[in-house]
Amino acid sequence: MKVVILCAGYATRLYPITLNKPKCLLEYDNKKILDYILDDLHHPKIDEIIIVTNDKFYNQLLDYKNNRLENIKIINDKSTDNPNRLGCIKDLLLAINDIDDDILIMASDNLLEFTISHFIDYFYMDNISTVMYYKEYDINKLNKTGQAVIENDKLIDFKEKSKIIISNNACPPFYIINKNDLKCIKNLDIYYESLGNLIEYLSDKIEIKCYKMIGKRIDVGS
């Protein structure tokens, strides 16, 4: 399994603290956000971690990589500021272009109060592409995340950041895509701002099962 962590945003809502530092390298409780993520990614199925960043923060992520022991690859998407950013899906395509393996896709600004290993184990029970979900009853929060219609642990419908509420099942940006389903993604040529748009696109094209989150998450900077 390959892990793709998307860190190419500019976090303009957090200016000025993210003006010269990526959000993923900010500290929370005396530890970098990315450290929390990587420290939890020690599953035997994972053999490479791919971090996609932008040109502005590329060297900072290279320096960070040199202080970690994991097999990490840093990709520069060559964007230089918020107006010319590529968007989540094009950044993802840069990472998976030559991959023929299952992929765990993660945003870099979410901290989980449980281990991601349970999610990976759930996927490998039957190797079906999988999304994570939790119950959310705050409409304002549902409007800002993915909403999943689920039947018998399978995804039936999905809307990303929809003002029309279709479900109380909220999906954070943690997805596992089976390697056989990657062909549905690799030829995408669409600008998507949100990672959840990928699942909305795939929801009627592939089988997707759903894993209920067993703990809480912290959305950094929301």
Side-chain angles (χ1 to χ4, degrees):
M1 171 178 279
K2 306 294 187 289
V3 180
V4 178
I5 304 175
L6 301 175
C7 303
Y10 292 86
T12 55
R13 287 180 298 177
L14 293 179
Y15 276 12
I17 62 173
T18 52
L19 186 58
N20 295 303
K21 180 181 288 189
K23 188 196 295 189
C24 64
L25 295 186
L26 296 178
E27 291 194 355
Y28 173 79
D29 198 18
N30 298 315
K31 187 175 177 179
K32 289 181 175 60
I33 293 170
L34 197 50
D35 284 332
Y36 283 100
I37 296 172
L38 296 187
D39 288 348
D40 188 45
L41 291 176
H42 292 282
H43 191 281
K45 290 288 188 179
I46 296 173
D47 57 18
E48 185 179 31
I49 297 169
I50 303 166
I51 298 175
V52 185
T53 186
N54 53 55
D55 192 65
K56 182 176 181 179
F57 297 130
Y58 178 65
N59 288 330
Q60 291 188 47
L61 267 297
L62 284 180
D63 290 341
Y64 173 83
K65 166 190 170 180
N66 292 334
N67 292 313
R68 297 290 308 195
L69 298 177
E70 296 88 353
N71 178 23
I72 300 175
K73 178 181 180 180
I74 309 294
I75 294 178
N76 183 351
D77 76 355
K78 303 298 178 66
S79 71
T80 55
D81 54 32
N82 202 50
N84 68 19
R85 68 193 185 279
L86 300 188
C88 291
I89 303 306
K90 289 187 177 181
D91 281 332
L92 175 63
L93 293 177
L94 289 176
I96 68 172
N97 183 51
D98 298 321
I99 290 178
D100 182 24
D101 199 355
D102 307 315
I103 58 169
L104 166 61
I105 307 168
M106 305 175 64
S108 62
D109 55 359
N110 286 263
L111 302 178
L112 301 181
E113 295 182 349
F114 57 92
T115 177
I116 200 76
S117 292
H118 299 313
F119 182 44
I120 297 172
D121 289 339
Y122 182 77
F123 164 76
Y124 278 112
M125 288 173 60
D126 49 24
N127 287 73
I128 297 173
S129 294
T130 307
V131 299
M132 190 183 294
Y133 76 97
Y134 62 95
K135 292 293 183 180
E136 178 59 72
Y137 297 98
D138 185 327
I139 292 179
N140 291 326
K141 291 181 179 179
L142 278 171
N143 288 339
K144 298 176 183 178
T145 190
Q147 303 168 31
V149 178
I150 301 169
E151 292 181 8
N152 298 319
D153 295 325
K154 296 294 178 65
L155 186 69
I156 304 300
D157 194 11
F158 189 96
K159 298 296 181 186
E160 174 67 7
K161 297 184 179 178
S162 173
K163 298 299 182 183
I164 300 173
I165 305 302
I166 64 169
S167 171
N168 292 110
N169 299 315
C171 289
F174 297 92
Y175 317 129
I176 300 178
I177 306 297
N178 181 287
K179 66 179 181 179
N180 295 323
D181 293 332
L182 289 183
K183 61 181 180 293
C184 297
I185 303 174
K186 288 186 175 181
N187 293 323
L188 273 176
D189 188 20
I190 303 173
Y191 178 86
Y192 281 139
E193 180 62 30
S194 298
L195 192 52
N197 291 124
L198 174 67
I199 303 303
E200 185 171 352
Y201 171 80
L202 292 174
S203 61
D204 62 353
K205 295 174 176 60
I206 63 172
E207 182 179 9
I208 301 175
K209 66 177 185 176
C210 303
Y211 171 81
K212 188 171 184 179
M213 186 186 293
I214 58 176
K216 297 180 179 179
R217 73 175 179 123
I218 300 171
D219 186 355
V220 180
S222 64

